[in-house]
Amino acid sequence: MEIFLQQIINGLVQGSVYALVALGYTMVYGILGLINFAHGEVVMAGAMLALSALTAMIGWGAPPLLALPVSLLFAMAGCMLLGFGIERIAYRPLRHAPRLAPLITAIGVSIVLQNLAMMIWGREYHAFPQLISNHPHQIYGAIINDIQIIIVIMALLIMAALMGVVHRTRLGRSMRAVAENQHAAQLMGVDVNRVISITFMLGSALAAVAGLMVSANYGIAHYYMGFLLGLKAFTAAVLGGIGNLRGAMLGGLLLGLIESLGAGYIGDMTGGFMGSQYQDVFAFFVLIAVLVFRPSGLLGERLAERA
Amino acid sequence: MILRSAQLFCFAALVSLLAACDKTPSDQAAASADQVVRIGSVAPLTGPQAHLGKDNENGTRMAIEDANAKGIVIGGRRVHFELISEDDQADPKTATIVAQKLVDNKVSGVIGHLNSGTTIPASKIYSDNGIVQISPSATAVSYTRQGFKTAFRVMANDAQQGRALGEYAVKNLGAKKIAIIDDRTAYGQGLADEFIKAARAAGAEIVAHEYTSDKSVDFTSVLTAVKGRAPDLLFYGGMDAQGGPMARQIKALALNVKLMMGDGGYTPEFVKLAGAAAEGTYASLPGVPLDKMPGGQEFSARFVAKYQPIQLYAPYCYDAVNVMIAAMQKADSVEPAKYMPALANISHQGVTANIQFDDKGDLKGGAVTLYQVKQGKWQPLETVGAGQ
């Protein structure tokens, strides 16, 4: 039982990170119908920027509890700038081009960012300083530490805040309007370019938070870390129904749980025939299953009319 | 739309992989040399193991620069060695592509690859084309068991290493219930299998065998599954980039086990990544400790001054180049077919050991040293096997 509970906790922590990253994919898709494959690299950039800021501040003797939020803000600002730049350079000139074109620039941007990061931060793995205690708490025999609690709570708060922005504010209304029909929104006086830029910046800020969370949790940052994480989060977004914010959150959490429980129990269930080597396969198996049986995702009703 | 995008993405990813390998050979040919001899170096220069790959490339490059400085004469003509460095991304498919590229570039010999999983598929291409291959670091037993005359290595293999680790775990550390995690690469899986054989023979019970990949960072679910079996020792067959975070997650899950790894864990990177959780971890490295190697300290000082601290295999790469050049000098030819017999019978005093090959191309009398992290540093515990 405690093992089962532990796997649930593992899945929730991992799933919250997937959900945060998936939101970035889904917001952009919802508005532009574009899959921003460079998003995983923005997560990586967030982690790297936060790490650089942290290292510098601790070098200057700043207290850790001040350094952490400041470097988070720094990473968010940096990623927002990056997201803005990516949209401006790689996507906006191609907005009315066939859909294939921005997809290819997306992959191009992803490769460029990865190589830039390799040049700036080097090929080696960076250890992320342990600033928050990872003191374990026991819950019915299962263990969760402070960082993990913070990750889950922060992810939930951010998601709630984002829902608030999209459904309650004037900006959110223009975002929804642009998603529904760009031309009509423009005729109604919505500055479409501005809304799209802000969407990219919001998604990138979330990516920065996710990047910091991943690095703080695993104690590691590397120029390559965005790739697999990006793919998994994309899967989560598709699982929940891409273009749908609630879907991205649900998809992220579900994917985390599926992976964790799957890897933990598949060996026992199949009598050792299949083992935990299939952990990464689950995500992509889910992707295929969703695409075959429910292409619009779990909550993605709207997608049918867009595709 | 989504379906098509996903397919396209896979396709584009493949194209980018191919594009990444397409680097032109470094143009280092000096005008003064009469004869240019190309030596290939292959290691992952991008991706999760890039730090180790660069280390290999630097070790090879230093040996080539040293040889060029000496002005070696072979077959009556002065030789200028040229390094052609390729990136196999630790990926078996890419490995065969770059191997073919080196063959097309007419290299006289290849130093590489880094991983067993890439070395083995590439070795067939080198063998088919009669090009000598010396791997500095591939330890999987099967590499030299394919009947290829061209395949050599300057490091003890996993049978020797796995046995040393397994016996040490059971006899010296008193492990009775052992859990295994491996990364499903030729190296990780091969080493884990040899470890299991030795540990079982010594009387321990294998209570769990779980798997991960060489790209993962999250091991909480497999570690949780392991925890359910209450082992007293966990052996991880894989590299430092996974071992470091794994050590942290073991502590975070309050899993009370000793962690043990092979040579893939014996790096400064592991200690850095694992932080305080590194303390007490065991690992092994074929060969004797660097400061006990015949030319270890001198090599280390020169390497650090030129590049960066040694990650892992740089001294072995350095030796691999030098033993290749020594064989060329002995045979007085840079033709692989002519110097290969000389290489098979060579006795060369290298940095890491006195290098002699057995009839399979394995290093004769390879020693294995066990290490433990104490006060944040790898400290040698004991060396087993016949070292030089």
Side-chain angles (χ1 to χ4, degrees):
Chain A
M1 186 59 205
E2 62 187 60
I3 298 293
F4 179 74
L5 193 63
Q6 184 72 59
Q7 296 290 25
I8 297 275
I9 292 176
N10 298 342
L12 280 180
V13 173
Q14 185 72 18
S16 323
V17 175
Y18 288 159
L20 272 189
V21 183
L23 281 173
Y25 278 102
T26 232
M27 276 163 63
V28 167
Y29 187 88
I31 288 187
L32 279 181
L34 160 80
I35 295 167
N36 176 16
F37 273 117
H39 194 61
E41 263 53 60
V42 179
V43 178
M44 175 272 295
M48 289 300 196
L49 286 172
L51 178 65
S52 296
L54 258 185
T55 319
M57 287 186 62
I58 290 176
W60 297 330
L65 283 180
L66 174 72
L68 204 59
V70 172
S71 49
L72 177 64
L73 289 178
F74 175 75
M76 285 169 78
C79 282
M80 284 166 89
L81 211 63
L82 189 62
F84 177 80
I86 292 173
E87 194 270 332
R88 195 73 194 73
I89 294 167
Y91 302 143
R92 191 174 297 180
L94 295 170
R95 195 171 296 158
H96 302 293
R99 281 185 167 185
L100 213 57
L103 192 70
I104 291 172
T105 51
I107 294 165
V109 168
S110 157
I111 294 170
V112 166
L113 287 181
Q114 233 182 62
N115 282 283
L116 268 181
M118 188 166 85
M119 283 154 73
I120 299 173
W121 287 286
R123 293 169 152 91
E124 67 270 24
Y125 286 77
H126 298 276
F128 207 85
Q130 188 142 30
L131 297 177
I132 307 167
S133 86
N134 65 348
H135 177 71
H137 303 279
Q138 295 261 355
I139 311 172
Y140 299 109
I143 286 164
I144 186 164
N145 62 38
D146 292 343
I147 300 178
Q148 292 171 320
I149 294 174
I150 294 174
I151 287 179
V152 175
I153 291 176
M154 247 176 100
L156 291 176
L157 285 179
I158 288 175
M159 289 186 241
L162 187 69
M163 293 303 283
V165 168
V166 171
H167 289 285
R168 298 272 156 80
T169 65
R170 198 181 159 79
L171 170 68
R173 202 188 314 149
S174 16
M175 282 167 80
R176 281 178 288 143
V178 172
E180 209 144 293
N181 189 327
Q182 268 186 39
H183 292 292
Q186 198 156 23
L187 292 175
M188 294 301 120
V190 176
D191 185 345
V192 173
N193 281 339
R194 185 172 151 269
V195 170
I196 291 175
S197 284
I198 290 177
T199 307
F200 267 87
M201 288 161 74
L202 268 180
S204 303
L206 296 186
V209 179
L212 181 70
M213 284 177 172
V214 177
S215 316
N217 189 22
Y218 299 125
I220 193 168
H222 187 237
Y223 79 90
Y224 200 65
M225 63 186 275
F227 181 72
L228 194 59
L229 185 63
L231 274 188
K232 295 263 182 80
F234 168 64
T235 307
V238 174
L239 171 64
I242 194 156
N244 182 310
L245 291 180
R246 282 197 196 86
M249 301 174 199
L250 180 71
L253 290 174
L254 266 182
L255 190 71
L257 286 173
I258 291 172
E259 273 194 3
S260 157
L261 291 173
Y265 287 103
I266 188 172
D268 294 342
M269 284 188 313
T270 58
F273 172 64
M274 287 164 83
S276 41
Q277 68 265 44
Y278 291 95
Q279 178 170 18
D280 287 341
V281 176
F282 286 115
F284 303 116
F285 180 75
V286 166
L287 178 63
I288 294 169
V290 170
L291 289 177
V292 171
F293 295 109
R294 201 178 156 82
S296 54
L298 295 177
L299 301 182
E301 299 300 341
R302 247 169 29 104
L303 186 73
E305 73 206 45
R306 296 194 58 91
Chain B
M1 170 61 197
I2 299 168
L3 193 93
R4 205 171 349 135
S5 314
Q7 282 173 340
L8 266 169
F9 180 69
C10 294
F11 174 67
L14 195 73
V15 171
S16 69
L17 286 180
L18 292 173
C21 333
D22 192 23
K23 293 185 198 108
T24 46
S26 54
D27 191 15
Q28 297 178 326
S32 62
D34 330 343
Q35 189 183 10
V36 173
V37 174
R38 292 175 167 171
I39 293 184
S41 155
V42 194
L45 301 176
T46 55
Q49 293 176 29
H51 61 297
L52 299 177
K54 196 71 191 167
D55 188 52
N56 275 25
E57 191 200 74
N58 286 339
T60 308
R61 173 169 288 133
M62 193 160 113
I64 286 179
E65 284 173 2
D66 285 0
N68 283 336
K70 274 187 228 152
I72 290 168
V73 176
I74 293 174
R77 293 167 74 194
R78 220 180 134 233
V79 171
H80 179 86
F81 293 99
E82 185 189 351
L83 173 69
I84 302 186
S85 177
E86 293 290 344
D87 174 17
D88 68 11
Q89 302 170 354
D91 172 46
K93 290 187 296 294
T94 314
T96 55
I97 296 170
V98 296
Q100 188 57 50
K101 206 177 150 207
L102 286 177
V103 169
D104 296 344
N105 266 315
K106 308 237 176 329
V107 293
S108 296
V110 173
I111 308 301
H113 302 192
L114 190 152
N115 311 84
S116 297
T118 52
T119 303
I120 295 168
S123 64
K124 176 156 192 335
I125 293 174
Y126 300 127
S127 169
D128 289 350
N129 291 283
I131 289 174
V132 171
Q133 175 190 18
I134 306 180
S135 174
S137 49
T139 50
V141 177
S142 54
Y143 166 52
T144 51
R145 298 295 185 276
Q146 307 173 94
F148 297 158
K149 287 197 174 56
T150 48
F152 297 86
R153 70 174 126 215
V154 290
M155 180 171 270
N157 65 35
D158 285 340
Q160 293 156 305
Q161 197 180 184
R163 194 183 322 128
L165 283 163
E167 284 174 0
Y168 193 85
V170 179
K171 288 180 185 156
N172 297 45
L173 304 178
K176 292 191 179 62
K177 295 166 78 181
I178 297 178
I180 311 284
I181 298 179
D182 79 56
D183 68 359
R184 302 311 282 172
T185 62
Y187 162 73
Q189 194 179 351
L191 183 64
D193 289 347
E194 296 294 338
F195 175 89
I196 292 171
K197 261 190 244 167
R200 282 210 175 114
E205 185 196 352
I206 307 296
V207 293
H209 192 162
E210 297 288 341
Y211 310 93
T212 181
S213 85
D214 58 350
K215 296 182 181 62
S216 300
V217 285
D218 179 62
F219 312 99
T220 47
S221 39
V222 289
L223 288 173
T224 304
V226 162
K227 193 180 178 187
R229 305 290 166 81
D232 44 25
L233 186 136
L234 172 66
F235 179 79
Y236 175 56
M239 305 302 287
D240 54 355
Q242 281 68 45
M246 190 183 287
R248 279 195 186 213
Q249 289 166 37
I250 287 172
K251 287 282 176 305
L253 285 170
L255 176 58
N256 192 16
V257 292
K258 298 185 181 87
L259 176 65
M260 183 178 245
M261 293 180 66
D263 53 320
Y266 173 71
T267 64
E269 201 82 0
F270 171 83
V271 181
K272 202 174 86 187
L273 295 178
E279 208 59 25
T281 303
Y282 297 89
S284 64
L285 183 66
V288 295
L290 190 68
D291 56 354
K292 294 213 178 76
M293 286 176 183
Q297 274 166 342
E298 189 252 334
F299 173 84
S300 170
R302 280 206 303 140
F303 189 88
V304 172
K306 212 163 181 177
Y307 306 105
Q308 56 195 348
I310 297 174
Q311 284 292 343
L312 191 50
Y313 304 120
Y316 297 89
C317 294
Y318 185 81
D319 273 4
V321 177
N322 283 325
V323 76
M324 187 179 273
I325 293 175
M328 289 175 178
Q329 286 179 294
K330 210 170 139 197
D332 206 23
S333 167
V334 297
E335 290 293 314
K338 297 210 176 107
Y339 79 81
M340 202 155 60
L343 184 61
N345 296 313
I346 206 148
S347 170
H348 172 81
Q349 185 57 50
V351 170
T352 59
N354 186 356
I355 295 169
Q356 297 177 32
F357 298 108
D358 66 11
D359 53 351
K360 298 186 190 72
D362 276 342
L363 188 66
K364 264 189 197 167
V368 178
T369 306
L370 286 138
Y371 299 82
Q372 185 180 26
V373 180
K374 290 177 188 162
Q375 276 119 38
K377 274 213 160 78
W378 285 108
Q379 308 282 356
L381 292 170
E382 67 172 282
T383 301
V384 293
Q388 291 296 326

